[in-house]
Structures are given as structure tokens and as C-alpha cells.
Amino acid sequence: MQSPACARPPRRSAGKQAAILAAAAELAGRHGYAAVSIEAVAAKAGVAKQTIYRWWPTKPALFVDVYTGLIDRAALTGAGPDAGTRLTGLLRELFRLYRTTPAARVLAGLIGAAAADPAARAAVRSGLVLGRADIVAVAVAPAGRGLGDPDPDTVTGVAVALVWQQAILDPDGFTDARAGTIAAQALAAGACPTDPGSP
Amino acid sequence: MQSPACARPPRRSAGKQAAILAAAAELAGRHGYAAVSIEAVAAKAGVAKQTIYRWWPTKPALFVDVYTGLIDRAALTGAGPDAGTRLTGLLRELFRLYRTTPAARVLAGLIGAAAADPAARAAVRSGLVLGRADIVAVAVAPAGRGLGDPDPDTVTGVAVALVWQQAILDPDGFTDARAGTIAAQALAAGACPTDPGSP
Amino acid sequence: MQSPACARPPRRSAGKQAAILAAAAELAGRHGYAAVSIEAVAAKAGVAKQTIYRWWPTKPALFVDVYTGLIDRAALTGAGPDAGTRLTGLLRELFRLYRTTPAARVLAGLIGAAAADPAARAAVRSGLVLGRADIVAVAVAPAGRGLGDPDPDTVTGVAVALVWQQAILDPDGFTDARAGTIAAQALAAGACPTDPGSP
Amino acid sequence: MQSPACARPPRRSAGKQAAILAAAAELAGRHGYAAVSIEAVAAKAGVAKQTIYRWWPTKPALFVDVYTGLIDRAALTGAGPDAGTRLTGLLRELFRLYRTTPAARVLAGLIGAAAADPAARAAVRSGLVLGRADIVAVAVAPAGRGLGDPDPDTVTGVAVALVWQQAILDPDGFTDARAGTIAAQALAAGACPTDPGSP
DNA sequence: TCGTAATCGAGACGGTACGTCCCGTCTTTTC
DNA sequence: GAAAAGACGGGACGTACCGTCTCGATTACGA
């Protein structure tokens, strides 16, 4: 998941990377993504600034790893009999992480960075959990797609858009109720054929 | 936006204000929101930096006015016989502005700033056209709401989220086709009752 | 004493000039010359900034008038039987004004301004009481000059230099003792013929 | 002056420091202390502004080092058989530096800054050559003090005051003749006992 | 076992932008 | 028609980070 760009495994990267990621996560949780400087992360991690830049080319790249580190370790399963239940469950698990970790603030910051910087845009595009459709898609359509089944891509797209907007406008509003609302709206959007006119 | 209802109106020079907004719009269109400094705007507008800071407290506040200036002057009507047609038309008109003006890049930058800075968040929240639900709502439900009519708030929320995501990830992708897709998905999301269970 | 530069007497200058000078003196006493802005003086005097600039071309020019206003109104007499007594008395009277009015801080500020700005230099040169030799000279040599009498110009020059240095380095150190010391040193310097070698 | 005795010496680049001081001296010589901005010094030295602020907290602190750099490197000896000759020689050497380097203008600027700003005051107090009595004192009383010998502190004080006044009022008037006059007056002032009464 | 080379801490550095302050001039409005 | 109110151009300030860079000191590996 990390992007060390080193061909050979780095000699002495043992706990440093973890310390850096932990320091970055903690500072982001406390002060917000934008208010965290690389220098502060380095100081808190007990590491030289250059050590961070050795492994991550930019600040957003570092925080993409922070984000995935916070999210990946939780198994987002989203079990349930039907797509609605599964998606709602998935979002609830995700939102619980957003409430208990700095992930939501990191996500918001990364979206902001993506808006500003094309390089960050690419990192966000490919690096964020909900940016990768697979997790949502698995939740939505594990059993093959019937005729009336929602389109997984549309569901994913709408859900991600709503989550992002939530992260930007109100990073503290990731409640269970919101999970249900987003799941319902995403599924509804996906259920409707893209070409308008049908029931 | 910036005109405090003082007893004596502020003597801000109308020409200067216009020059500042025009310069900001042009630079944002050319280099992107993030790459535009207040000093550059001042230089291009032929104005002292302090003159900008006198009227707008921060860069996002300035660009909220830039954005609304670019969008407001177009009458976004969205005429048509049914909600789908009207919303699609509205978005097409909006997207045409996004293609012909720097508005999309400004929007993306503002979203990014909102993610970073609470003050910008507030400005964005209240200042952006699509942040004000009324325009979309009017397009969606001008004739009162029937039983099967979509919920205007939901439609607005989903449409705005999708537009924002588009602006962040691909500010050049505001095509007519995308307008249709977003309209359809937003309407579908709004048509489905929020409490899950019904068809 | 003021330098209005208006040929005709200004129409409505009644108490405004006094208010301006009083405000400037008070602010200089409270915050020091450098920390006083013309805007602050105008605000405290209940006057528009332009009104100050109408009568005084620059900030130092204003404060030269402030200084002379504070000093002139006191009759610096320096009575006594001999030059030493007279000069000591004169300096004691002056130093009492320095202790009871903002004059010392204004003087220090003006010297600083003179060091920076040629225009201020000229104003200081001609405007300050001790810059004009007459007062000191009168104290030193009112009865004509005998053979061993001190040279008034030298006495004045040394005394002024020592007062200035005191104002710059320690504006609160204008004590009676210091007056005596300065008087003695100035007289001694003046008593000695300029060409070295004589007793 | 700026070299804290850390265990590991600060890695300040000797070349940068020299370039900064040289640029500051040159600009002060050309335009005068007050007209020199830190930005201009940085630009002329080919250095980032922050690099200056890293080592000198304020503009006066920088120019104290500029001044001492201009003066210190000259051995101000003031040799001669008697105090008068030595002091005159010392001042002539100093004044020659004032004529051939920007030191006089820097000195005048620093005095002005000291008048305005307590921090500058402290820097000037301890940093200037003639502010340190030792050089003058050595010139005046190297051979112990006889009964009629001038008081070194008084001589120093009067000489410094006269030099400062000269710097402020006429930085270009540091002639050999003026050196003789100042030396004579300072010695005469010092020769007279401070308590008045003696011949 | 010991060189050798990488890794790392420390932090200086060029650069860019920030937002503030005040000067002295100009413009508008009020009395 | 003078004054208040205050906008304005201009320019410097001192701060904050960015991402790059140069140092030695460590330290693990390969000879």
C-alpha cells in the first residue's frame, strides 16, 4: 500500500514509517489536515523531515497512506441478505471509522488537495477506499445482476459523491442515519435506468 | 454579498471591484484557483493588495464572489414540461457556463478550500449557486408535489454532490451527456422514498 | 511657531490645531513617537487625517510643533550669578519638562526621524529649542565674553549632544544630577581653547 | 555576535553571512539605512529573506553587525605620546572609515532606530564600537591616571555624544578637523572635575 | 572483523504567499 | 467651500511552509 519507490526493501524502515503515519494521523485528528505541516509530523514522529520525503513525494501522498492505513485495517464487510442492507451496513462500518479515527478529516483534506493539485488528484483517485469501486460493488451486486438490479457503478458513484460532500461540509456528521440515507439514495439512483423515461 | 447594509454605503469603487473580480476570474481560468495569489490578482487588476483585503477577508471569500458573478448573470431557467427535462436543461446551461467560463475551476478550488478551512466552508456553504437549493428545487417541483414526485431536497443534494465530485475529479468533463446522467440519477434518488422498503 | 504654509489664515482652524497637537502629545507620551500613527492622532483629535496633512507636511513636522509647544510655553530662564549656575538651572528646568511632559520621548523620536529622513533633519535642526543656540548662549554668556569665559557655541554644542544622547539611550534619565553633570562637562569643554596645548 | 556556543556549531554558511553583510553595507551606503529593506538586502545577496531572519531577529540587529564588521576590521590604534594626540588620532582613523565606508550612514540609521525601538536601543548600546568605552578609554588613559588626567568615562561619553550628533546631523562632515575639535572638547570636558568648583 | 555505503537526524536554504501596518494622496459626501 | 470620512497605491514588515540540499553520525551489511 505504501509507495516506497525503493526497488530493494529499505534498510532501516522498521518502525519509522509506522511512527510517521501514526504521527500524521494524530495531528490530522487534532488540528485538521491543512493545519498539519510536514515538519510537525516529523517532529512528532521523532524523525527528520527528509525521512518523510524519502518515502512520500508530497504531503497528499503521505496522507493517502494515512487514510488507507486507517481504513484498510478494518474489514468492511457489509453482510446482509439484500443490496440495501449490505450497503447500509458497509457505510455504517465506514462511518464508525470516520467517527473513531481521524479518517474523515484526512479524507476531507485529501479532497481539498485533489481539487488544488493534479498530482494529488491522481493519488486520491486511485488511493481512497471509496474511490475504488470494488468494495461498494461487492456489497451491491455479489449475486450477479438481475434485470431490476441497480447498476453497481452508479451506486458507487453516487455513494462516493455523497460521502465526499459530507466530508467536506460536515466531517462530524457521519451518523448511522446518514449512512442509511446515503445508501437508499445511491441505490435508488442506481436502480433507475440511465436513459430517462422508464418507470 | 459584500455590501454591509451600513447607513452610509461604503464608498467602494465599483470599477475597482469589477476589475478585481475580472482579474481573479481570468487568472483562475488560466492557472487554476490554487495557483492564483492575491498579489497576482492585485497586480493584474491594477490595484493595491490592501484594496482587496479591505473588501474580502480571505481568498475564498473573494472567489465566492467571483463564482457567483460568473454564474448569477446567466439566467438558469431550466424550462420544460417535466422535472427531468427541466433539471437536465438547467444542468446543461450550468455546464455550458462551466465550459465557457472559469467557473468550474473556481468551484473546484472553493470546494478544496472549504475542505481545508472552516471559514471557507461557511462561505462556500452559503455562497454557491447550487448550494442554494432554490434553483434546483424550482426546476424540480414548480407545480407542487404529487404523490410520486421526487423530493426536491434529495434531488438537489444528490445533484450538487455529483457536480462537486465532477468539479474536483475532472473539471473539464462538464458535458451535456454528463448533465443528463446527473439529472437522471438525482431524480431517481429523489423519487425513492428515503425510508427503504418500498419498490 | 506652527507652519501652516497657508498664506491667508485658515478659515476654521480654531481649536483643531490645538486638539491635534494635544492628541499627538498625549499619544506620544503614552506609546512613544514611533508607535503613534497619524491616523491615531486624527482619531483622538476628532479630526480627519487630511486635516493634519493640510497643515503639516509630514509626521516629523507635526511633532516638531508638538515639541516646541511643550517646551516653549515654559520660560526657560536659567537665572544665576555665573554661567555654571545659569546653565545648570536652565537644564534643570528643561529636564523637569522632560519628566513631566512627553517632550523627551518626542525629542528622541524626532532625532530618530532626523537620522532617517533629510526633511526631518532640516526640521529638527531648526525647530528644536536646544537646537537653537540662543537659549543656551544667553545662559552662558549674557555679560559679554571675558578672556577665560567659555565659548558659547562650544558649550551649546556639547550640551545639546549630551542631551540628545540621553534622550536616545535613556529618555527617563533626565534627573537634576544629570543636568549638573551635563552643564559642568559642557562648560569645561567650552572653557578650553579649541586649539589644544594651552592650560 | 551571532554565534551561540552550541555544542554543535550552527551550520550557517559563512559565505551567505558575508554576502548578506556586504549587500546590506553596500545598499546602506548607496541609499541610506532607512531606505534599505530586508527584502532588498536578500535580493542583492542572492539569498532568501528568511535566511536573514533566521540569523538576525530585526533590521537593527543586522546592521549592528554590519557596522561592527566595517569598523572592527580596522585597528583603531590611536598611538601617540599624550592623550590628546592619541584621541585625535583615534578619531581621525575612525572618521576615515566613516568617509570611506558606509559606516557613518549605518551608524546614523542605528541611532535613529534606537530612538524608536527599545530592542534596537539595546543592540546599539552594546554593539557599537564607540558605545564600548574601552577603545576610547585605552587611548585616553593607558598609563594610569595622574591627578590632573582626564576622566576616561567622561571623555568617552562626550566624544561619543558628539560623534553621534555629527552622524545624525551631518554624516558627511567627518573631517580631520572635526576629529581634532571633538577630541579637544571631550578631553577638556573630562579634565574638569565633575563636581563644579575647581578651576 | 572491518570497511563501505546506506540511512537517518538536524536543520539551512531558495522560494512563494500570506495577512498586517502605515504613509501620504485622492475622492466623495456632508454640513 | 472646508471638513469628515475613508478609499486608495505603494511598499515593507515578519511569519509560515514547501520541498531540496548538505552535513556528520550511525549502523548494518558484504567482503
Side-chain angles (χ1 to χ4, degrees):
Chain A
M1 206 58 48
Q2 279 85 346
S3 47
C6 309
R8 278 190 298 170
R11 280 253 192 106
R12 186 115 48 94
S13 60
K16 304 278 166 171
Q17 291 204 16
I20 291 165
L21 292 171
E26 216 246 275
L27 289 173
R30 182 147 31 197
H31 308 296
Y33 172 92
V36 177
S37 70
I38 294 283
E39 299 226 39
V41 174
K44 180 160 198 92
V47 141
K49 187 161 55 153
Q50 187 57 37
T51 302
I52 298 179
Y53 279 108
R54 203 180 333 270
W55 290 326
W56 294 276
T58 62
K59 181 175 159 182
L62 168 63
F63 278 93
V64 165
D65 277 5
V66 169
Y67 181 84
T68 56
L70 289 171
I71 297 301
D72 264 349
R73 63 188 56 177
L76 295 174
T77 53
D82 62 284
T85 306
R86 285 194 298 271
L87 182 55
T88 302
L90 179 76
L91 289 177
R92 280 188 176 159
E93 289 164 6
L94 181 66
F95 286 10
R96 199 175 51 76
L97 290 175
Y98 284 172
R99 276 182 265 121
T100 57
T101 72
R105 307 189 75 167
V106 172
L107 174 62
L110 285 172
I111 295 169
D117 171 17
R121 187 141 57 222
V124 167
R125 224 166 183 154
S126 64
L128 301 190
V129 160
L130 277 182
R132 296 171 316 186
D134 48 6
I135 291 188
V136 177
V138 163
V140 172
R145 194 176 177 210
L147 199 58
D149 284 346
D151 171 42
D153 287 350
T154 299
V155 174
T156 304
V158 172
V160 170
L162 290 168
V163 168
W164 283 23
Q165 190 187 38
Q166 181 79 42
I168 292 167
L169 290 182
D170 182 17
D172 297 323
F174 283 108
T175 62
D176 280 359
R178 188 82 184 115
T181 304
I182 290 178
Q185 293 178 357
L187 283 170
C192 160
T194 309
D195 48 344
S198 59
Chain B
M1 202 59 46
Q2 285 299 122
S3 50
C6 305
R8 204 176 311 178
R11 260 89 51 78
R12 71 194 298 178
S13 153
K16 309 271 173 190
Q17 182 181 0
I20 291 165
L21 292 171
E26 217 246 275
L27 289 172
R30 182 148 30 198
H31 307 296
Y33 172 91
V36 177
S37 71
I38 294 283
E39 296 220 50
V41 174
K44 181 160 197 90
V47 142
K49 183 163 55 154
Q50 188 58 36
T51 300
I52 298 180
Y53 279 110
R54 200 182 336 272
W55 300 115
W56 294 278
T58 62
K59 183 175 158 182
L62 169 63
F63 277 92
V64 165
D65 277 7
V66 169
Y67 181 84
T68 56
L70 289 171
I71 297 302
D72 264 347
R73 62 188 57 178
L76 296 174
T77 53
D82 62 283
T85 306
R86 285 193 300 268
L87 182 55
T88 302
L90 179 76
L91 289 177
R92 281 189 175 159
E93 288 165 5
L94 181 65
F95 287 10
R96 197 175 53 76
L97 290 175
Y98 284 171
R99 276 182 265 118
T100 57
T101 72
R105 307 191 74 167
V106 171
L107 175 62
L110 285 173
I111 294 169
D117 171 17
R121 188 140 57 222
V124 167
R125 220 166 186 155
S126 63
L128 301 191
V129 159
L130 279 182
R132 297 173 313 187
D134 50 2
I135 292 188
V136 177
V138 163
V140 173
R145 194 174 176 211
L147 202 57
D149 285 347
D151 171 42
D153 288 349
T154 300
V155 174
T156 303
V158 172
V160 170
L162 290 168
V163 168
W164 283 23
Q165 192 186 37
Q166 181 79 41
I168 292 167
L169 290 182
D170 181 16
D172 297 323
F174 283 108
T175 62
D176 279 0
R178 188 82 184 114
T181 304
I182 289 178
Q185 292 179 356
L187 284 169
C192 161
T194 310
D195 48 344
S198 58
Chain C
M1 204 60 46
Q2 279 85 346
S3 48
C6 309
R8 279 188 300 168
R11 278 252 194 108
R12 187 116 49 99
S13 59
K16 303 279 166 172
Q17 292 206 14
I20 291 166
L21 292 171
E26 215 245 278
L27 290 173
R30 182 146 33 197
H31 308 296
Y33 173 90
V36 177
S37 69
I38 293 285
E39 298 225 39
V41 173
K44 181 161 197 89
V47 142
K49 186 160 56 153
Q50 188 56 38
T51 302
I52 297 180
Y53 279 108
R54 201 181 332 273
W55 289 325
W56 294 277
T58 62
K59 181 175 159 182
L62 168 62
F63 278 93
V64 165
D65 277 6
V66 169
Y67 181 84
T68 55
L70 289 171
I71 297 300
D72 262 349
R73 64 187 56 179
L76 296 174
T77 54
D82 61 285
T85 306
R86 285 194 300 271
L87 182 55
T88 302
L90 178 77
L91 289 177
R92 281 190 177 157
E93 289 164 6
L94 181 66
F95 287 10
R96 197 176 54 75
L97 290 175
Y98 284 173
R99 276 183 265 119
T100 56
T101 72
R105 306 190 74 167
V106 171
L107 174 63
L110 285 173
I111 295 169
D117 171 17
R121 188 142 56 223
V124 167
R125 222 164 184 157
S126 64
L128 300 191
V129 160
L130 278 181
R132 296 171 315 185
D134 49 4
I135 291 187
V136 176
V138 162
V140 173
R145 197 179 175 206
L147 200 59
D149 285 348
D151 172 41
D153 287 350
T154 300
V155 174
T156 304
V158 172
V160 169
L162 290 168
V163 168
W164 283 23
Q165 191 186 38
Q166 180 80 41
I168 292 167
L169 290 184
D170 182 16
D172 297 324
F174 283 108
T175 62
D176 279 359
R178 188 82 183 114
T181 305
I182 290 179
Q185 293 179 357
L187 283 170
C192 161
T194 311
D195 49 343
S198 59
Chain D
M1 203 62 44
Q2 285 300 124
S3 51
C6 304
R8 204 176 311 178
R11 260 88 53 78
R12 72 193 301 179
S13 154
K16 309 272 174 190
Q17 182 182 0
I20 290 165
L21 292 172
E26 216 246 275
L27 290 172
R30 183 146 31 197
H31 307 297
Y33 173 91
V36 177
S37 71
I38 294 282
E39 297 221 47
V41 174
K44 180 159 199 90
V47 141
K49 182 164 55 156
Q50 188 58 36
T51 299
I52 298 181
Y53 279 110
R54 202 186 331 276
W55 301 114
W56 292 278
T58 62
K59 182 175 158 183
L62 168 63
F63 278 93
V64 165
D65 277 6
V66 169
Y67 181 84
T68 56
L70 289 171
I71 297 301
D72 265 347
R73 64 188 56 179
L76 296 174
T77 54
D82 62 284
T85 306
R86 286 195 297 270
L87 181 55
T88 303
L90 178 77
L91 289 177
R92 280 190 177 156
E93 289 165 4
L94 181 65
F95 287 9
R96 198 177 50 77
L97 290 175
Y98 284 172
R99 275 181 266 118
T100 57
T101 71
R105 306 191 75 168
V106 171
L107 175 62
L110 285 173
I111 295 168
D117 171 16
R121 188 141 58 222
V124 167
R125 223 167 183 153
S126 64
L128 300 191
V129 159
L130 278 182
R132 297 173 311 189
D134 49 3
I135 293 187
V136 177
V138 163
V140 173
R145 194 176 176 209
L147 199 59
D149 285 348
D151 172 42
D153 288 349
T154 300
V155 174
T156 305
V158 171
V160 170
L162 290 168
V163 169
W164 284 23
Q165 192 187 37
Q166 181 80 40
I168 292 167
L169 290 183
D170 182 15
D172 297 324
F174 283 108
T175 62
D176 279 359
R178 187 82 184 114
T181 305
I182 289 178
Q185 293 179 356
L187 283 170
C192 161
T194 311
D195 48 344
S198 59

